[in-house]
Amino acid sequence: MGYGTLIPNPGELRKKSWMMVVRPEIKFIFADVFKFDGPVTVETSREEVPKWDSLQHIALVTAIEQQFGLSLTLDEMVEIRSVKDICNVLDRHGV
Amino acid sequence: MLARTSPSLDGLIEAVMENAALCINERTLLQGVDWSRVRPDKVADMLTRLAADGVRAPMWLLKSLLVAGHSLPISENPALDPSLHALNSLNSLLRRGGVSENGMDALVEDLIARENIDPEIVVAGVRQLAALQMGSLAARLALSHWRTAPQILRSVSDDVTRLLESLPEARLRVASFSTTHSFIADLAHAFAAVGFRAAMTQAEYGQALAELMKPGEQERDALLVLLDPEGLHAPDWRRETAKSHELLLQRIDLFSGAIEHYAGQGRGPVLINTVPVTIDPTMGLLDSYHPDGAAHGVQLINQRLAEIARSNNQVILIDASRAFARLEPRQWVDPKLWYYGRLPYSANATRALAVAFSGAYRTLKKGTAKVLALDMDNTLWGGIFGEDGVGQLVCDDEFPGNAFKAFQHECLRLRSQGMLLTVLSKNNPDAIDAFKDHPGMLLKQDDFVASRINWEPKPNNVRQMAEELNLGLDSFVFLDDSPHERAAMRRMCPEVIVPEMPDDPAARPLWLRALAVTWPVRLTDEDLRRSDMYAAERHRNVVRERAVSFDDYLSDLEQTLVIQKVGPASVARAAQMHLRTNQFNLTTERYDDAAITGMMKDDRCVVVLGRALDKFGDHGLVICATARVDGEQAVIQSLLMSCRVIGRMVEQTFLGELLRSLAGRGARHVKGAYIPTKKNGLVKDFYQGAGFTHLGSEGQREIWGWDLTDGRPLPGSNLITIRWDTGP
């Protein structure tokens, strides 16, 4: 999803290039919020992170909002189930 | 041109730097450079070139350089503000490598004391300290500005953990009408910032009233109650205004009675926040005085809380609106978090409240500061006594003298509240005469309990005064307009509280009001006597006058439990509860729609649901159980409840009715199991508490039994009205 799929080359390239590399901020957030010390990749999802329950999900969303200075909607909050989803949401917000 | 021959990013940046003077004049490009990727020698070259061209490097450029970790030659800009100056020192220390932690302490103290510091500077400072292996200073700096820059804690979380281990413990019990998860996480940081390691236990979800009435066993240094707008005031628009208003008043009575009940139990102080004034009206322009107005409801609640706090020094009120002063009112609540998880306040607001609670706790434990040590020149008056002469000193009713006069006025206010005033000035001793000879001075020589007016270093003087007054240095607040004097005091007498007084005299009077170390937190005996007088005149209503017990509380709730067998209309709800409930769930059987429907059609199975109501409203279908009867044996297969109504005997009453219904099916012996999961520790002792007998364990499973033949009274409370809904 995200607008990236609609945009020809430059945007697509940009998106791909950083989608493969998870930003360090996200890794920090996972370490802090979930005390997660496994590898954080684009594919990391809710099922693999033991502490990612509905309460810690709130902490995750709040941390993302603080870190990137944005405000997510209820839908986005529900949509986020993996690192890829986070990247998509950030992409949509243009950060 | 360079860009064409060398298309790399570094080449582009170099081209921009080579044309720095042009970029500065046009205010373009240079702002976009990521200075952390530029080598220090290149930065030095650029600054040298700028100096040679006679272009002064603008402050925004210097700031971005410093934040990126570069160090500037001291001569570069004497006008660097003190926080940038401190960051510069950190950066150059890191470049040179190797430094003693001692010299760093005072620099970092300056950064810590600076309340309105740019978060970017804090982030950079924390990063540099961490790189210098000064973890504990990094953690202290990060914690001190955590309210405005929460994300920095993430980079030093190990250092924070280590710092926490060295702090004294504060045992906190936290209760609320809503979700306290984020609040608890924030409290840990807020308490660490004021020097405590918070060890917290939570009351059951939403059970503030029950916790006040029947506090858990947990030892606590304080009970913290997070109050939110909907906890007490959830109007039902089908009710008439008068009835609705009456209910709100009753609810406030119940809550305030519960607070007084708790405060009388000797369990220590209870800290409660007021409800922030709501800006979204339910009665439009009439909102603040119409009985249906949201703002009116909030006023009533807060007014009552204030009355309780005024007559009871175990009740500490935290003013939410003041805590939120730095936030826009629309940022107080994050609706998405409310609907997602019943979080009553936004992340920023929750943090602000945690800071306010921790500040009050700190003052409770460490006390309010006792002495103001005041500088004279350009602090108590404008101008310099020794140079300008007493006649030229500025302190009167005209600008700017009125700002100094107002500052003296605030000093007098603190004096009237028990603060001792002292003067601490580098002057000839005759400067004290200014208070007598200058007509504008509000303060007089007699107002000061001690003075040191000489040319000795101020830290030495303050030590002498501490001895003279027989007080610890940590009782002193030092107010001085000179950053050098403040820095010297921090370095030589780290115990003395040295706030960063604003440079602008006009900002100081209100700043002094906001200075939390001067805030009284608790009523004095005299205050209490005074409030007894108010209390005698005050009309007290019936609920509050009588002693309130847990049973009174239950009967005041006027609860009704309506029990129904599952039917086509309630299958979905029963399945949903089975799938979602984690905490109050004895067996965590995840029965879905199909399974519940199957049981509904099976004669041997019993599936019952309970709807809880009280005088404040309908909680809906909140409890559910499934059981299976084989001849005289019955087994409770699942029993689960929403935490909304926990602790009010609903669960026991429901269990009693379930037993009654199983008896009606011919059962004589009932078994139930507790199967532990990570989340259901809450109900570990549920069967025991209800009077069941322990029959044994099967692996993790604890089996409990009830013998229906011995005629014991079934579990439950006679204060709950029970109704069986036989349905259509």
Side-chain angles (χ1 to χ4, degrees):
Chain A
M1 289 296 287
Y3 302 137
T5 48
L6 304 174
I7 297 170
N9 272 339
E12 184 67 9
L13 268 178
R14 182 178 68 87
K15 184 178 162 196
K16 275 203 177 136
S17 64
W18 65 252
M19 275 201 54
M20 278 182 273
V21 184
V22 178
R23 306 182 191 202
E25 295 98 322
I26 295 180
K27 294 182 180 173
F28 270 135
I29 290 175
F30 271 62
D32 184 48
V33 173
F34 301 131
K35 308 287 170 238
F36 185 69
D37 48 11
V40 178
T41 71
V42 178
E43 303 301 326
T44 306
S45 71
R46 202 161 165 162
E47 289 70 34
E48 298 153 43
V49 182
K51 290 220 167 85
W52 193 341
D53 58 16
S54 56
L55 280 176
Q56 282 312 103
H57 188 63
I58 294 170
L60 170 72
V61 168
T62 308
I64 293 171
E65 290 184 327
Q66 270 165 14
Q67 185 69 52
F68 299 102
L70 41 87
S71 173
L72 304 184
T73 65
L74 190 58
D75 278 346
E76 286 168 327
M77 196 164 173
V78 175
E79 171 191 333
I80 292 176
R81 303 194 54 84
S82 67
V83 172
K84 191 188 244 162
D85 298 332
I86 297 174
C87 294
N88 280 335
V89 167
L90 291 180
D91 191 31
R92 219 177 301 146
H93 281 264
V95 285
Chain B
M1 231 161 53
L2 220 154
R4 204 180 307 137
T5 52
S6 164
S8 75
L9 200 54
D10 290 339
L12 285 172
I13 291 175
E14 225 165 288
V16 168
M17 286 169 68
E18 270 174 33
N19 296 289
L22 182 63
C23 292
I24 287 169
N25 280 336
E26 302 285 330
R27 301 190 66 79
T28 186
L29 290 176
L30 214 48
Q31 288 94 328
V33 175
D34 174 3
W35 295 107
S36 61
R37 57 185 294 156
V38 180
R39 291 211 321 260
D41 56 316
K42 303 259 182 201
V43 170
D45 288 349
M46 177 182 73
L47 293 175
T48 315
R49 260 198 314 278
L50 282 176
D53 294 349
V55 178
R56 199 171 59 85
M59 194 56 76
W60 56 261
L61 177 59
L62 298 179
K63 187 188 144 199
S64 5
L65 288 171
L66 288 169
V67 165
H70 291 283
S71 50
L72 305 173
I74 299 298
S75 62
E76 183 53 50
N77 202 320
L80 276 187
D81 88 42
S83 54
L84 284 176
H85 196 76
L87 183 57
N88 192 22
S89 314
L90 271 179
N91 289 350
S92 42
L93 280 173
L94 189 59
R95 291 251 175 269
R96 284 206 306 274
V99 63
S100 73
E101 197 151 332
N102 283 345
M104 198 55 70
D105 268 350
L107 266 183
V108 177
E109 288 304 334
D110 286 354
L111 289 176
I112 288 175
R114 202 159 278 273
E115 227 178 286
N116 296 318
I117 193 171
D118 185 337
E120 270 189 275
I121 296 174
V122 179
V123 174
V126 169
R127 197 184 49 221
Q128 299 298 66
L129 285 167
L132 284 162
Q133 309 289 326
M134 294 179 181
S136 105
L137 279 178
R140 285 190 48 221
L141 180 58
L143 280 169
S144 67
H145 294 289
W146 157 80
R147 188 180 53 77
T148 45
Q151 70 281 9
I152 45 174
L153 277 186
R154 225 162 269 141
S155 56
V156 285
S157 55
D158 291 345
D159 295 315
V160 171
T161 310
R162 267 193 294 279
L163 179 72
L164 275 174
E165 283 161 11
S166 67
L167 298 176
E169 186 179 66
R171 293 164 304 173
L172 308 175
R173 179 82 172 157
V174 182
S176 169
F177 291 94
S178 48
T179 309
T180 46
H181 193 68
S182 310
F183 184 54
I184 294 234
D186 286 347
L187 282 174
H189 297 141
F191 273 73
V194 295
F196 292 96
R197 173 165 43 88
M200 290 172 283
T201 57
Q202 295 189 62
E204 295 311 333
Y205 169 74
Q207 293 308 300
L209 269 177
E211 177 66 28
L212 288 163
M213 289 311 304
K214 213 176 161 185
E217 299 291 307
Q218 296 80 359
E219 290 292 315
R220 71 277 306 265
D221 296 310
L223 169 66
L224 276 47
V225 180
L226 177 70
L227 191 55
D228 65 75
E230 313 232 356
L232 287 179
H233 187 36
D236 176 349
W237 298 111
R238 289 202 182 278
R239 288 202 176 103
E240 319 161 27
T241 297
K243 177 70 181 153
S244 213
H245 192 64
E246 180 57 29
L247 273 175
L248 171 65
L249 292 177
Q250 285 181 21
R251 210 162 178 161
I252 294 175
D253 283 345
L254 195 58
F255 184 57
S256 51
I259 296 170
E260 288 184 323
H261 176 78
Y262 182 90
Q265 295 202 334
R267 298 295 301 267
V270 47
L271 282 63
I272 305 178
N273 64 285
T274 61
V275 178
V277 177
T278 171
I279 53 159
D280 297 309
T282 51
M283 272 312 291
L285 292 172
L286 316 182
D287 208 54
S288 59
Y289 51 93
H290 191 284
D292 275 345
H296 179 60
V298 170
Q299 282 166 21
L300 289 176
I301 296 166
N302 289 343
Q303 211 170 4
R304 180 66 66 78
L305 287 173
E307 278 177 31
I308 298 171
R310 185 157 60 214
S311 56
N312 196 321
N313 72 357
Q314 290 296 321
V315 181
I316 314 289
L317 212 51
I318 311 289
D319 188 324
S321 299
R322 186 182 312 125
F324 295 164
R326 288 162 201 267
L327 304 172
E328 278 180 42
R330 291 217 188 272
Q331 295 176 352
W332 294 355
V333 173
D334 187 338
K336 140 192 101 219
L337 295 182
W338 172 254
Y339 294 117
Y340 181 89
R342 266 185 97 82
L343 269 75
Y345 299 110
S346 70
N348 286 339
T350 306
R351 211 160 58 243
L353 271 179
V355 169
F357 273 89
S358 67
Y361 184 85
R362 181 201 169 281
T363 314
L364 265 183
K365 291 293 161 186
K366 298 191 176 166
T368 308
K370 297 188 179 71
V371 190
L372 279 190
L374 295 153
D375 171 50
M376 290 169 141
D377 291 333
N378 288 320
T379 298
L380 286 178
W381 57 66
I384 296 170
F385 177 86
E387 288 174 16
D388 303 330
V390 68
Q392 297 301 308
L393 297 182
V394 176
C395 180
D396 48 40
D397 295 322
E398 306 295 323
F399 180 81
N402 51 3
F404 288 99
K405 194 166 175 177
F407 185 76
Q408 292 198 5
H409 187 68
E410 293 301 323
C411 292
L412 271 180
R413 171 183 62 81
L414 287 170
R415 182 177 171 275
S416 81
Q417 292 166 1
M419 184 81 75
L420 304 175
L421 303 185
T422 63
V423 273
L424 191 53
S425 171
K426 283 188 179 161
N427 255 315
N428 289 328
D430 63 341
I432 194 79
D433 294 338
F435 293 112
K436 173 173 88 230
D437 297 340
H438 192 290
M441 301 284 166
L442 280 181
L443 290 168
K444 298 295 169 202
Q445 188 174 350
D446 289 349
D447 295 326
F448 300 102
V449 295
S451 65
R452 287 291 182 281
I453 303 171
N454 56 38
W455 298 96
E456 294 294 311
K458 292 192 179 186
N460 297 0
N461 278 327
V462 89
R463 279 182 201 283
Q464 285 180 18
M465 281 205 297
E467 268 176 44
E468 180 183 329
L469 297 172
N470 202 16
L471 286 167
L473 280 176
D474 56 359
S475 303
F476 282 76
V477 182
F478 176 54
L479 301 183
D480 197 310
D481 65 299
S482 154
H484 302 289
E485 294 291 357
R486 296 197 298 258
M489 188 63 80
R490 280 192 200 113
R491 195 160 299 132
M492 307 304 294
C493 298
E495 303 93 332
V496 173
I497 301 157
V498 187
E500 280 295 288
M501 192 163 71
D503 291 336
D504 181 359
R508 292 177 191 165
L510 288 185
W511 169 83
L512 188 50
R513 285 204 200 172
L515 190 62
V517 289
T518 67
W519 289 354
V521 65
R522 221 171 197 169
L523 299 164
T524 60
D525 290 344
E526 194 186 336
D527 291 332
L528 283 174
R529 273 197 300 279
R530 213 179 297 148
S531 79
D532 280 349
M533 276 156 38
Y534 298 138
E537 295 159 15
R538 191 177 65 208
H539 164 75
R540 283 177 178 249
N541 63 53
V542 191
V543 176
R544 298 183 64 222
E545 265 189 6
R546 66 157 197 260
V548 192
S549 71
F550 187 69
D551 278 354
D552 293 333
Y553 155 66
L554 280 188
S555 75
D556 268 341
L557 278 174
E558 295 170 15
Q559 297 187 97
T560 303
L561 177 61
V562 183
I563 303 176
Q564 59 180 73
K565 290 194 175 132
V566 73
S570 51
V571 166
R573 174 63 183 153
Q576 183 194 42
M577 285 179 72
H578 276 89
L579 297 177
R580 281 209 192 152
T581 308
N582 294 320
Q583 290 181 284
F584 197 111
N585 193 336
L586 274 300
T587 56
T588 321
E589 295 286 357
R590 300 298 192 190
Y591 296 137
D592 59 10
D593 277 38
I596 300 281
T597 309
M599 285 188 251
M600 181 174 76
K601 291 178 178 158
D602 186 336
D603 281 345
R604 289 165 304 176
C605 291
V606 175
V607 182
V608 281
L609 293 127
R611 171 187 295 274
L613 303 97
D614 58 35
K615 72 174 174 193
F616 301 117
D618 183 351
H619 297 279
L621 293 170
V622 287
I623 185 163
C624 181
T626 65
R628 191 181 172 87
V629 188
D630 283 304
E632 295 190 344
Q633 305 294 327
V635 176
I636 301 172
Q637 293 169 308
S638 64
L639 176 58
L640 40 110
M641 185 173 78
S642 150
C643 285
R644 257 180 287 173
V645 292
I646 206 167
R648 305 171 173 190
M649 299 298 288
V650 169
E651 55 274 43
Q652 289 84 351
T653 308
F654 183 80
L655 179 61
E657 288 306 297
L658 175 64
L659 291 174
R660 194 188 307 282
S661 124
L662 294 172
R665 297 288 200 93
R668 298 168 69 87
H669 304 282
V670 181
K671 278 187 192 174
Y674 165 69
I675 307 174
T677 68
K678 271 187 195 161
K679 292 185 176 158
N680 72 350
L682 168 68
V683 290
K684 186 166 145 289
D685 301 322
F686 173 68
Y687 279 126
Q688 185 175 21
F692 275 56
T693 312
H694 191 234
L695 300 179
S697 316
E698 295 171 10
Q700 289 231 299
R701 210 176 256 262
E702 300 293 331
I703 310 294
W704 297 85
W706 184 280
D707 190 347
L708 285 163
T709 59
D710 65 7
R712 273 200 298 156
L714 296 171
S717 165
N718 55 12
L719 297 173
I720 299 182
T721 312
I722 301 159
R723 230 169 54 215
W724 273 84
D725 183 359
T726 42

